[in-house]
Amino acid sequence: MTVRERLRQNISAAFYRHGLLCASYPVPIILFTSASILTCCYPLLKLPLPGTGPVEFTTGVRDYSVPSHGTQGDLGERPDWYRGPPVAYIQQVLVKAAVSPWDSSLVPVDVFRSPLGRVFSLLEEIRDHVYTDRSLESLCLQVTDLLPGLRRMQSLLPEHGCLLVSPGNYWQNRRDMFDSDPDILKTVHQHEPKGLHTSATLKDLLFGVPGKSTGVSLYSKKRVVTYTITIALSSYDARFVASLRARLKQLHPSTNCSLREDHMVHVHFKEEIGIAELIPLVTTYIILFAYIYFSTRKIDMVKSKWGLALAAVVTVLSSLLMSVGLCSLFGLTPTLNGGEIFPYLVVVIGLENVLVLTKSVVSTPVDLEVKLRIAQGLSSESWSIMKNMATELVIILIGYFTLVPAIQEFCLFAVVGLVSDFFLQMFFFTTVLSIDIRRMELADLNRRLPAEAGMPPPKPGPLRPREAPPPSRPSPHTITLQAPAFRNLRLPKRLRVVYFLARTRLAQRIIMVGTVIWIGILVYTDPAGLRTYLAAQVSEQSPLGEAGLPPHLGVAPVFPGGDPTSTLNVLPAPEPTPLPENQSQGHGEARSGPAPLTSPQITWGSEDEEVWRRLSFRYWPSLFSYYNITLAKRYISILPVIPVTLHLSPQEAIETRHPQDTQHAPRTSAKTTELQADLTLYKVAALGLFAGVLLVLLLFCLYRVLCPRNYGQNGVQHGRRRRGDLPCDEYGYSPPVSEISPLLLRGHSMDIECLANDGMLLASCCLAGQIRVWDAQTGDCLTVIPNNGYELGFGDYSLLGPEARNASTPIMDNEHPLRRRTTPVRPALFGDQPDLTPLIDTNFGEVPPSQMMPGCGFDFGELVERAYKEHEASPPLPFPPSPPAARQRRRSLGDQSVAPPEQVLLAPWDWDSSVWSMELRGNLIAAGRSSGKLELWDAVEGSLRCCNEDGSSGITALAFLNNRIVAARLNGSLDFFTVDIHKPLGLLQYRGPPGRASLPPSPCYSSEDVISCQLTRSVQCAHQKPITVLRAAAGRVVTGSQDHTVRVYRLEDSCCLFTLQGHAGGITAIYIDQTMVLASGGQDGAICLWDVLTGSRVSHVYGHRGDVTSLVCTTSCVLSSGLDDLICIWDRSTGIKLYSIQQEVGCGASLGVISESLLVTGGQGCVSFWDLNYGDLLQTVYLGQSGEGQPVRQLLVLDNAAIVCDFGSELSLVYVPSVLEKLD
Amino acid sequence: MPRLEERCWSCSCSTGVKSKELSSASWIASKTGEMMSIITSVLRQAYVSLYHVQSANLIRRGLVLFAVGVFLALVLYLLQIQRNVVLFPEEVLDTLFSSAWWIPPCCGTAAAVVGLLYPCLDSHLGEPHKFKREWASVMRCIAVFVGINHASAKLDFANNMQLSLTLAALSLGLWWTFDRSRSGFGLGLTTALLATLIMQLLVYNDIYQYTSPEFRYIRSWLPCIFFSGGVTVGNIGRQLAMQFHRV
């Protein structure tokens, strides 16, 4: 335990020092951090870009042997996927064929017809090749059925036999079908898909070279046809392959061919990502973003919320990058798919620490220096941060011992990520936070640019735009563009929206540029990728576009021999019609003359060594996938290509001609072809642009339609209305199981101002000064103590003498039918007075504060006069305007006491002084009056037992604890009284700890005791300003004042223990209970939790717009209500707001907790019960008949779970029997 | 409440009708019906005093949970399919929606029931769930749950024992990180056992077949997945219960 404590202290001290360091030198630390990030990320440059591209590995052919399955990694450069036999060995025969010399009598079709025809003889040769009783049949990869979905390819791809692919497959490897094919191009192109396809097309598959370089088109300039015969071998027999190579070379020698033949390339394919695989990935990313959103939403009370949120995200991301970089630095190349594990890593590392840090720093006292705030915030959270980190490390360590390689790798990454994240939090985020907080303070002090311009941008380097998030000042040089005064203006909403848009557009641009660069790099690094493929697509589609241009038919004959190249690059009509046939046939011969034609040259270059590289990288996977063989996570070995050169004589070409071949004739020049190709591109571009513009317009319209301007306000109003309606509807339909029925206590003629209870007894005091004592169990009125001044009636006030006060006799009005709903009969004494009660509108919450000017109070004169005229009453109303009750009571009281000096003159006795505060203990009622008198009344008998007139300033608050009474006065002084009993029998029983769990109402003070009340100590100037709140519990007296401080006194010796500072406004609410929990709320809307033993602030939250009006704590929550009519429920340990309840207007402060889980609030004529743990509305109890809308202004919870509500001039007693059961 | 009951009934009934084996199916349907009626009667008793206030909220929460369950079921189903069939021809999606169309709705219903049971149980036991009640934590929980599924689908384990041990440790970690309540643990365990039992019954009665030939593999991860799923859905349900009643 002690070790733990010491550890804790050390940690927090270390964090404190670290916080000081970070806040003192923000710039060097941020520079250092970003340098270390960049250093750690440097190894990432060597990593391949994430993507699904294949990986290669090259070995020599000569000493090749099939890699074993074993895990021994003796060869360092051998990748770990290079294990076991490959899926297939690929042997390609690259055929280049040309008709040479080129004869002018040849038609364009001759370029490819006869060369393609030679494929059949080659195939035969390959099939029949035998080397020492091993034929191709025994070595090749046997394939079975095609996948069921590929019926249309059934005739084109081999089935049930060797996987041997060549252009001959178009004609089922039969020469006769080829010979009888009238249009080769049509056959080849009819299987091409329309539109853009990223995967390999059938033409690619069969030809084995990119579509553009096959030369199978009518406008090929080189007139060389290139294709491959691809053989997939299941096992590798070096001698067979060598003999095949020798045989083919011997048959078709390639003269100038110097291709290297000593390298074998192994290509490993990663997992393919299809739509179905993408869905879980996308889901995890969506969850990740939701997590980030919900986390960063909690950042509050900082200068720039967005900036800190971005800093948090950057912290996490760069820690991930750092971990990857570090791991790859130490030779741990990530084999896991980065994109897949990334969200989980973010979730494991989490944003919690960052948020906790922010929160803790923000809740430090504002008036401290920034350095100290950061240091304090850090040290207060140090223990939990370290604990969390240790826990996570332990969990990851456990994960490491699962001995599953993938999980181990994940754990390794997570550990490095956690450590680097911790590092970044401590150095990077803390510093950013300190800068942010300093800026907030500077802004608060209205200090402008000079002070801040000295502060350099938080972070240089690529991350900088994120680090300087507020749009108003992204960097120092933009400051000059704005007028300095501009910042102090509160920007209109629209402008802020514009700024917001500007900001997001910036973000969009960054994302867009990043994406474009990314795609560009991907395309660029993959030479056989999308780029060449797209180009091929465009050029191949151009003939289709050409087909719809019949007017060009007549052009060619007019210029028969214009350009020599144009004659070669002619375009066929895919489906020749009879009409052009004659024309073209005629011109086919006419064209021959003038062009000096060059013979095609067959050249072999280095680009022919690995012709498959120029294909899409999906070429092999898609070929094998047709037979349901996956290449994902497997590899194939590609043997060196066998070059075959075919030279055909023109004679041969003419012989193999199909009768229809000569129909193809030049139609148009090459220039138009180029133009057409360009036009297609332009068309696509224009279409895309148009679609984009349309989409933007549509989105804009949608936005305008869906989002009205006053979106937020509507929502609030709607919510409030709905809440208001809800209980009424409930009531209107059917009264709920009415186990809760209110008990009305009537008897007061005016609004009730003070309420006090002692478990079994209940005392209330109305504006008229009448005190009534009720039995809290039954609701019977036990005693009525009339105001000493008014006991003879309002009219006879001038007759009042001193004897009237002393001879105050209790009036027991037991005859009052208390449960009757009719208004009680007014005493006969008041008969000559009009009933003024309906005139009194005490709902001051709705009155604008300007009307509550000091001294004038409320002008009731008109109302009263009218009432008097109606009543024909002569004497004017004697008493001053009633002090405003309800919520503004404290303040208005302070004002009012100064106001009526003439009444003091008029009557020296305090008959007109009103009761400002009241307490009830045992059967003694302590009443503090506005004249500064403290009176002790017997609650049962109604007799005045004692009176103390030591002070002259009005008693604003009273606390009655044990035998001591503490009175707070208007002038800020605090008086401690002792109640003594002079009866020797000593019947005074100390009631032990006050509060809920008290004794039954046995009279503690017998009537014959002489009770005296002595002033033991008076603390003058306890506060600079009037004391507003006074609470006592657990031997402590806590006062809150308008001078922004809370003071804690010890009850025994009235010694001031602490002065608690931290509020930025007057204290309006205090809660303290037996467990020494002290909470205070102020006019600034802040709520502070204090440790009473040490006087330190435990937490500090801002909860309300306006005063905090009441505060209650349970063991787990803090409940607060404010002038904004909102009840907020906070988690006591963390200070996180759990939820809030919107109250009706004017009922905000009525709040009580019955048990740990039952909250009761007041509303318009009703009280509502809530489940505290969930915020469920359990039940609404209506106090009046039809909910006439008297707001419940005060709410008191008794021991036996009855609730007393101040409901106009009536009291309501509501029992909650179910709660009693729960408590038992 | 009656609407919820009807939905449970109709779902279980439709499950039964769809299956060809009428006798066993009807038996299962009647059993599940019994269970549903017990559950709903408990729910009814629980909410009888709060009937009017809560029924609308209950239905809304149930709908949200149902949607979440359906979505998660689809995602996880796809993940599991990936393990066995690596290449996706067009038919896989068709078979997904034709053969086992009733799986996502069943999962959704189960999610709704579990997600509603959790807060109800909490309030009954008088142990309100106070641990990390915020949406960020719930999102984290879902992400971890999907991650566990991802791991079970993507990683190659040496044997089934290792797989189930790892998954059990992960699920317990999930519970400890995000729940830590006894009721959550108990209910998760019950969910796991019940769901595994129902799965086995379905398989033995040939209503549902595993696509994978290795049957032991499935059996080794199923309870853990159900357990963590129960905890996750319970977390969502609790958060929803708090959210919807925030008023």
Side-chain angles (χ1 to χ4, degrees):
Chain A
M1 194 59 201
T2 50
V3 174
R4 192 176 166 222
E5 286 298 318
R6 234 181 309 142
L7 190 68
R8 190 172 177 167
Q9 275 179 2
N10 285 340
I11 287 176
S12 84
F15 271 71
Y16 191 88
R17 280 195 295 276
H18 175 77
L20 280 184
L21 176 80
C22 281
S24 311
Y25 306 104
V27 183
I29 284 181
I30 281 189
L31 281 178
F32 162 70
T33 320
S34 41
S36 54
I37 290 177
L38 289 180
T39 318
C40 289
C41 291
Y42 177 71
L44 286 180
L45 292 180
K46 294 178 198 159
L47 285 183
L49 285 167
T52 53
V55 188
E56 289 172 21
F57 179 62
T58 310
T59 56
V61 173
R62 300 208 180 280
D63 49 351
Y64 172 78
S65 63
V66 178
S68 60
H69 271 291
T71 52
Q72 74 272 16
D74 46 349
L75 289 172
E77 69 268 19
R78 177 183 283 192
D80 51 356
W81 48 262
Y82 185 57
R83 270 183 212 142
V87 177
Y89 297 91
I90 306 292
Q91 176 65 64
Q92 282 192 309
V93 180
L94 179 59
V95 181
K96 289 197 176 188
V99 179
S100 72
W102 186 255
D103 198 338
S104 55
S105 66
L106 296 174
V107 292
V109 184
D110 290 333
V111 171
F112 50 82
R113 178 173 272 277
S114 56
L116 275 181
R118 291 295 287 273
V119 76
F120 301 102
S121 60
L122 268 175
L123 277 174
E124 238 165 73
E125 235 163 73
I126 293 170
R127 272 184 205 284
D128 297 343
H129 183 75
V130 176
Y131 177 77
T132 59
D133 75 342
R134 307 199 76 160
S135 68
L136 187 73
E137 212 44 54
S138 60
L139 288 174
C140 73
L141 185 72
Q142 301 284 340
V143 291
T144 55
D145 281 333
L146 284 168
L147 275 186
L150 299 167
R151 295 286 169 220
R152 61 193 171 86
M153 291 200 178
Q154 214 167 17
S155 59
L156 295 173
L157 286 173
E159 272 188 305
H160 304 291
C162 282
L163 180 57
L164 196 149
V165 180
S166 71
N169 285 91
Y170 276 120
W171 301 275
Q172 275 128 49
N173 291 331
R174 283 161 61 187
R175 178 79 198 214
D176 51 342
M177 285 187 72
F178 177 74
D179 285 339
S180 59
D181 188 5
D183 192 344
I184 293 173
L185 278 179
K186 188 185 163 194
T187 314
V188 170
H189 281 289
Q190 71 184 354
H191 296 289
E192 292 303 289
K194 305 285 182 288
L196 291 174
H197 270 247
T198 51
S199 62
T201 60
L202 190 64
K203 187 179 175 187
D204 289 340
L205 279 183
L206 296 187
F207 277 86
V209 286
K212 203 177 181 184
S213 53
T214 53
V216 186
S217 65
L218 293 178
Y219 52 97
S220 156
K221 284 179 191 169
K222 285 170 72 181
R223 291 199 295 266
V224 176
V225 173
T226 312
Y227 56 89
T228 61
I229 299 169
T230 305
I231 311 157
L233 302 171
S234 64
S235 60
Y236 179 62
D237 187 340
R239 284 168 303 170
F240 177 81
V241 173
S243 76
L244 178 67
R245 175 184 302 270
R247 168 83 179 150
L248 288 179
K249 277 193 169 178
Q250 181 196 350
L251 283 177
H252 311 283
S254 311
T255 49
N256 52 355
C257 172
S258 59
L259 297 185
R260 292 166 64 189
E261 296 172 355
D262 52 347
H263 277 104
M264 190 188 242
V265 182
H266 309 278
V267 183
H268 174 76
F269 294 94
K270 291 183 180 168
E271 250 172 303
E272 300 164 47
I273 293 188
I275 290 180
E277 287 99 333
L278 226 52
I279 290 175
L281 200 66
V282 168
T283 313
T284 53
Y285 271 93
I286 288 174
I287 294 172
L288 174 71
F289 282 125
Y291 168 63
I292 290 178
Y293 168 73
F294 281 118
S295 296
T296 52
R297 207 174 58 160
K298 289 187 291 188
I299 295 182
D300 217 344
M301 303 298 297
V302 289
K303 169 78 177 169
S304 147
K305 200 173 163 171
W306 286 89
L308 272 189
L310 268 178
V313 173
V314 163
T315 306
V316 171
L317 288 191
S318 47
S319 75
L320 278 181
L321 286 182
M322 277 172 79
S323 69
V324 175
L326 284 178
C327 282
S328 62
L329 186 69
F330 292 114
L332 295 160
T333 42
T335 53
L336 293 172
N337 191 345
E340 276 179 26
I341 62 166
F342 177 74
Y344 304 124
L345 269 176
V346 170
V347 164
V348 163
I349 290 177
L351 291 167
E352 259 73 16
N353 271 353
V354 167
L355 303 178
V356 165
L357 221 61
T358 312
K359 181 149 186 40
S360 137
V361 169
V362 162
S363 31
T364 48
V366 188
D367 44 350
L368 281 179
E369 209 182 331
V370 178
K371 269 192 236 175
L372 296 181
R373 288 187 70 185
I374 297 281
Q376 273 191 11
L378 268 185
S379 72
S380 69
E381 283 302 327
S382 60
W383 182 244
S384 72
I385 287 179
M386 291 309 281
K387 224 165 49 178
N388 274 339
M389 180 150 166
T391 320
E392 279 170 347
L393 283 181
V394 164
I395 288 176
I396 288 172
L397 209 66
I398 292 172
Y400 191 77
F401 285 112
T402 51
L403 302 178
V404 181
I407 292 184
Q408 278 179 331
E409 193 178 331
F410 180 84
C411 289
L412 212 60
F413 273 120
V415 166
V416 182
L418 268 183
V419 172
S420 55
D421 183 54
F422 180 72
F423 166 75
L424 284 183
Q425 274 167 18
M426 284 304 110
F427 284 93
F428 175 71
F429 188 78
T430 311
T431 319
V432 170
L433 192 65
S434 78
I435 289 174
D436 187 273
I437 285 187
R438 180 166 301 149
R439 288 181 45 193
M440 182 169 74
E441 305 214 324
L442 290 178
D444 287 347
L445 293 174
N446 262 345
R447 229 177 277 163
R448 281 181 219 142
L449 303 177
E452 287 183 343
M455 195 175 306
K459 187 178 171 200
L463 296 176
R464 217 189 102 218
R466 299 182 176 176
E467 301 313 314
S472 53
R473 264 198 330 258
S475 61
H477 54 261
T478 54
I479 292 171
T480 52
L481 298 178
Q482 296 175 351
F486 186 56
R487 285 191 55 235
N488 291 336
L489 294 175
R490 185 171 168 77
L491 292 176
K493 214 168 209 170
R494 203 169 303 160
L495 265 183
R496 272 185 287 164
V497 167
V498 168
Y499 282 143
F500 177 77
L501 280 183
R503 200 162 47 199
T504 48
R505 200 170 59 199
L506 191 74
Q508 279 167 1
R509 270 189 208 146
I510 291 170
I511 291 169
M512 236 162 58
V513 168
T515 319
V516 165
I517 291 174
W518 179 287
I519 290 174
I521 290 173
L522 271 186
V523 167
Y524 189 75
T525 51
D526 186 14
L530 215 57
R531 186 183 46 159
T532 49
Y533 185 76
L534 274 180
Q537 281 283 327
V538 169
S539 60
E540 277 168 23
Q541 280 178 357
S542 52
L544 296 175
E546 191 65 21
L549 296 172
H552 285 277
L553 288 175
V555 178
V558 184
F559 310 102
D563 191 61
T565 54
S566 73
T567 55
L568 302 174
N569 297 296
V570 285
L571 209 68
E575 290 173 82
T577 49
L579 180 65
E581 186 178 342
N582 300 327
Q583 288 181 349
S584 57
Q585 214 161 8
H587 291 289
E589 269 85 48
R591 189 176 48 107
S592 55
L597 297 164
T598 55
S599 288
Q601 291 291 319
I602 296 178
T603 55
W604 295 89
S606 57
E607 77 275 4
D608 294 323
E609 269 178 28
E610 286 161 338
V611 74
W612 50 271
R613 280 191 198 279
R614 288 186 282 150
L615 290 166
S616 156
F617 67 86
R618 292 190 54 84
Y619 176 77
W620 301 113
S622 57
L623 174 62
F624 282 94
S625 74
Y626 289 146
Y627 300 98
N628 204 9
I629 301 171
T630 175
L631 292 184
K633 291 176 158 181
R634 296 161 84 180
Y635 75 99
I636 56 172
S637 300
I638 299 174
L639 303 173
V641 72
I642 302 175
V644 168
T645 312
L646 296 175
H647 287 282
L648 294 98
S649 63
Q651 188 60 39
E652 199 179 347
I654 293 171
E655 274 171 11
T656 53
R657 249 187 219 170
H658 190 269
Q660 286 191 8
D661 280 353
T662 48
Q663 294 165 3
H664 301 293
R667 299 260 157 69
T668 179
S669 66
K671 229 169 198 175
T672 25
T673 314
E674 299 284 323
L675 202 70
Q676 286 309 315
D678 285 352
L679 266 185
T680 322
L681 264 182
Y682 289 143
K683 265 189 263 176
V684 169
L687 210 68
L689 198 69
F690 178 70
V693 169
L694 207 69
L695 196 70
V696 167
L697 281 179
L698 190 74
L699 280 181
F700 185 71
C701 292
L702 268 180
Y703 174 78
R704 290 296 295 271
V705 168
L706 291 182
C707 296
R709 202 172 294 164
N710 47 359
Y711 181 67
Q713 292 159 4
N714 263 351
V716 168
Q717 274 174 3
H718 171 71
R720 189 173 287 175
R721 196 180 309 124
R722 200 193 64 204
R723 266 170 237 121
D725 287 346
L726 192 64
C728 293
D729 290 346
E730 294 294 328
Y731 186 75
Y733 288 143
S734 64
V737 186
S738 106
E739 53 177 345
I740 303 178
S741 59
L743 204 63
L744 280 189
L745 312 182
R746 291 169 190 254
H748 283 292
S749 56
M750 301 179 83
D751 277 8
I752 292 166
E753 196 192 355
C754 301
L755 274 178
N757 79 308
D758 185 28
M760 295 298 140
L761 289 184
L762 174 70
S764 63
C765 174
C766 69
L767 284 177
Q770 191 187 42
I771 298 173
R772 279 174 180 255
V773 181
W774 316 80
D775 185 350
Q777 295 278 359
T778 61
D780 294 333
C781 183
L782 301 177
T783 322
V784 175
I785 305 169
N787 192 353
N788 358 28
Y790 297 147
E791 60 178 331
L792 297 179
F794 288 112
D796 291 330
Y797 71 100
S798 55
L799 298 177
L800 276 178
E803 76 284 354
R805 209 187 78 243
N806 295 330
S808 59
T809 53
I811 300 172
M812 309 292 289
D813 52 351
N814 285 331
E815 71 277 6
H816 261 310
L818 287 168
R819 301 184 189 203
R820 223 171 48 196
R821 298 241 157 161
T822 56
T823 35
V825 183
R826 274 184 286 113
L829 285 170
F830 300 158
D832 55 345
Q833 292 294 321
D835 188 0
L836 293 175
T837 46
L839 298 180
I840 297 174
D841 177 17
T842 48
N843 193 4
F844 295 104
E846 290 166 350
V847 180
S850 63
Q851 292 187 18
M852 295 187 233
M853 293 307 289
C856 64
F858 287 90
D859 189 9
F860 289 134
E862 289 178 18
L863 283 173
V864 172
E865 267 178 31
R866 213 182 309 140
Y868 268 84
K869 274 171 195 161
E870 285 166 11
H871 200 260
E872 300 171 352
S874 46
L877 194 65
F879 52 87
S882 57
R887 301 281 55 78
Q888 282 76 22
R889 197 175 79 215
R890 301 287 178 225
R891 257 173 288 160
S892 55
L893 279 176
D895 301 329
Q896 199 241 358
S897 68
V898 196
E902 69 278 359
Q903 267 132 34
V904 181
L905 289 175
L906 196 88
W909 304 102
D910 62 342
W911 49 266
D912 57 342
S913 70
S914 55
V915 176
W916 277 3
S917 55
M918 191 168 66
E919 273 289 312
L920 178 64
R921 282 285 168 259
N923 56 352
L924 277 186
I925 298 173
R929 292 192 172 268
S930 59
S931 60
K933 260 180 69 165
L934 178 71
E935 294 169 336
L936 285 178
W937 295 81
D938 192 308
V940 177
E941 297 177 5
S943 57
L944 181 71
R945 306 298 299 269
C946 177
C947 182
N948 190 306
E949 298 176 42
D950 287 343
S952 60
S953 184
I955 296 176
T956 55
L958 268 180
F960 196 166
L961 204 65
N962 298 351
N963 61 340
R964 286 172 191 274
I965 296 174
V966 186
R969 295 193 188 271
L970 199 60
N971 58 5
S973 64
L974 201 62
D975 289 351
F976 290 79
F977 297 94
T978 312
V979 179
D980 290 327
I981 308 158
H982 296 294
K983 189 78 176 177
L985 283 176
L987 286 172
L988 175 62
Q989 300 173 1
Y990 291 135
R991 297 179 54 92
R996 309 272 161 78
S998 59
L999 295 173
S1002 61
C1004 304
Y1005 308 96
S1006 67
S1007 56
E1008 54 264 24
D1009 291 343
V1010 177
I1011 295 176
S1012 72
C1013 183
Q1014 285 180 341
L1015 179 69
T1016 52
R1017 171 113 193 260
S1018 175
V1019 183
Q1020 296 297 328
C1021 290
H1023 285 279
Q1024 312 291 329
K1025 288 187 177 172
I1027 294 172
T1028 49
V1029 210
L1030 175 74
R1031 292 279 185 277
R1036 298 283 184 275
V1037 177
V1038 185
T1039 58
S1041 159
Q1042 285 186 341
D1043 61 357
H1044 304 189
T1045 59
V1046 177
R1047 285 190 174 216
V1048 181
Y1049 294 87
R1050 198 151 53 203
L1051 189 63
E1052 297 95 59
D1053 52 359
S1054 40
C1055 162
C1056 177
L1057 296 177
F1058 303 109
T1059 301
L1060 309 175
Q1061 290 178 330
H1063 281 283
I1067 310 296
T1068 50
I1070 281 181
Y1071 177 85
I1072 186 171
D1073 65 10
Q1074 279 308 112
T1075 56
M1076 291 274 195
V1077 175
L1078 175 59
S1080 62
Q1083 285 175 332
D1084 51 350
I1087 299 162
C1088 292
L1089 288 179
W1090 311 86
D1091 186 358
V1092 182
L1093 293 176
T1094 63
S1096 63
R1097 185 161 64 180
V1098 178
S1099 87
H1100 178 242
V1101 288
Y1102 282 96
H1104 296 281
R1105 289 189 300 264
D1107 301 11
V1108 176
T1109 49
S1110 69
L1111 267 177
V1112 181
C1113 293
T1114 68
T1115 52
S1116 60
C1117 315
V1118 178
L1119 291 85
S1120 66
S1121 68
L1123 269 189
D1124 51 358
D1125 296 320
L1126 213 60
I1127 292 181
C1128 295
I1129 287 89
W1130 311 80
D1131 187 19
R1132 204 168 105 180
S1133 52
T1134 63
I1136 294 171
K1137 180 151 95 172
L1138 298 178
Y1139 54 92
S1140 59
I1141 301 170
Q1142 178 74 49
Q1143 283 284 89
E1144 287 163 40
V1145 177
C1147 304
S1150 49
L1151 167 74
V1153 174
I1154 296 179
S1155 70
E1156 271 298 309
S1157 60
L1158 197 61
L1159 164 72
V1160 55
T1161 63
Q1164 293 281 342
C1166 59
V1167 286
S1168 304
F1169 294 89
W1170 307 79
D1171 186 342
L1172 198 52
N1173 297 304
Y1174 297 99
D1176 296 353
L1177 178 63
L1178 298 180
Q1179 194 170 5
T1180 302
V1181 176
Y1182 282 82
L1183 305 173
Q1185 187 56 50
S1186 54
E1188 56 260 32
Q1190 277 259 45
V1192 173
R1193 294 187 313 254
Q1194 281 195 59
L1195 215 148
L1196 217 60
V1197 176
L1198 300 188
D1199 276 349
N1200 50 359
I1203 304 146
V1204 176
C1205 314
D1206 174 351
F1207 180 54
S1209 65
E1210 298 163 357
L1211 287 173
S1212 295
L1213 212 55
V1214 181
Y1215 284 100
V1216 195
S1218 58
V1219 175
L1220 281 179
E1221 290 160 17
K1222 231 177 197 173
L1223 278 178
D1224 295 339
Chain B
M1 188 56 55
R3 273 194 242 171
L4 181 73
E5 188 183 354
E6 273 167 29
R7 206 174 59 216
C8 296
W9 266 107
S10 65
C11 184
S12 57
C13 286
S14 66
T15 311
V17 167
K18 185 68 185 175
S19 59
K20 296 305 171 198
E21 301 228 339
L22 276 177
S23 61
S24 59
S26 62
W27 181 77
I28 289 171
S30 69
K31 279 293 162 192
T32 47
E34 265 182 44
M35 265 166 30
M36 288 297 173
S37 60
I38 289 171
I39 289 169
T40 46
S41 69
V42 167
L43 282 175
R44 181 189 298 266
Q45 278 179 0
Y47 282 90
V48 72
S49 59
L50 319 167
Y51 180 71
H52 285 280
V53 186
Q54 300 236 316
S55 60
N57 275 332
L58 205 65
I59 287 168
R60 266 189 295 168
R61 270 158 52 195
L63 282 180
V64 172
L65 283 168
F66 183 79
V68 168
V70 168
F71 183 67
L72 277 182
L74 278 179
V75 167
L76 301 186
Y77 197 71
L78 281 177
L79 268 178
Q80 291 301 331
I81 281 181
Q82 271 179 49
R83 184 180 175 84
N84 303 318
V85 191
V86 183
L87 282 172
F88 270 97
E90 287 81 2
E91 294 86 54
V92 170
L93 283 178
D94 300 339
T95 54
L96 171 65
F97 289 116
S98 63
S99 71
W101 62 268
W102 48 273
I103 289 181
C106 277
C107 287
T109 316
V113 170
V114 172
L116 291 178
L117 261 181
Y118 260 82
C120 164
L121 196 70
D122 280 346
S123 63
H124 258 264
L125 290 181
E127 296 175 348
H129 188 239
K130 295 199 184 87
F131 186 70
K132 286 190 182 173
R133 298 197 328 193
E134 49 204 5
W135 275 112
S137 157
V138 173
M139 285 298 152
R140 219 177 167 188
C141 181
I142 299 174
V144 171
F145 174 61
V146 176
I148 288 177
N149 276 282
H150 207 140
S152 78
K154 282 284 169 70
L155 300 185
D156 293 318
F157 289 88
N159 51 23
N160 289 327
M161 188 53 124
Q162 207 181 29
L163 169 73
S164 44
L165 276 184
T166 310
L167 283 186
L170 282 176
S171 327
L172 277 182
L174 178 90
W175 171 77
W176 178 253
T177 321
F178 298 106
D179 193 322
R180 290 198 199 177
S181 68
R182 281 180 300 148
S183 61
F185 188 77
L187 203 52
L189 214 58
T190 319
T191 314
L193 291 181
L194 272 183
T196 316
L197 198 70
I198 291 173
M199 250 349 231
Q200 298 286 345
L201 283 178
L202 286 179
V203 171
Y204 281 134
N205 291 304
D206 287 340
I207 298 168
Y208 178 72
Q209 289 100 10
Y210 293 124
T211 48
S212 163
E214 34 173 356
F215 183 57
R216 284 178 181 282
Y217 158 72
I218 302 267
R219 219 164 34 184
S220 55
W221 62 254
L222 211 54
C224 300
I225 294 294
F226 276 128
F227 175 77
S228 47
V231 171
T232 307
V233 168
N235 237 329
I236 303 174
R238 281 165 168 166
Q239 192 66 30
L240 277 179
M242 217 175 77
Q243 189 81 16
F244 271 108
H245 290 292
R246 227 165 58 166
V247 186

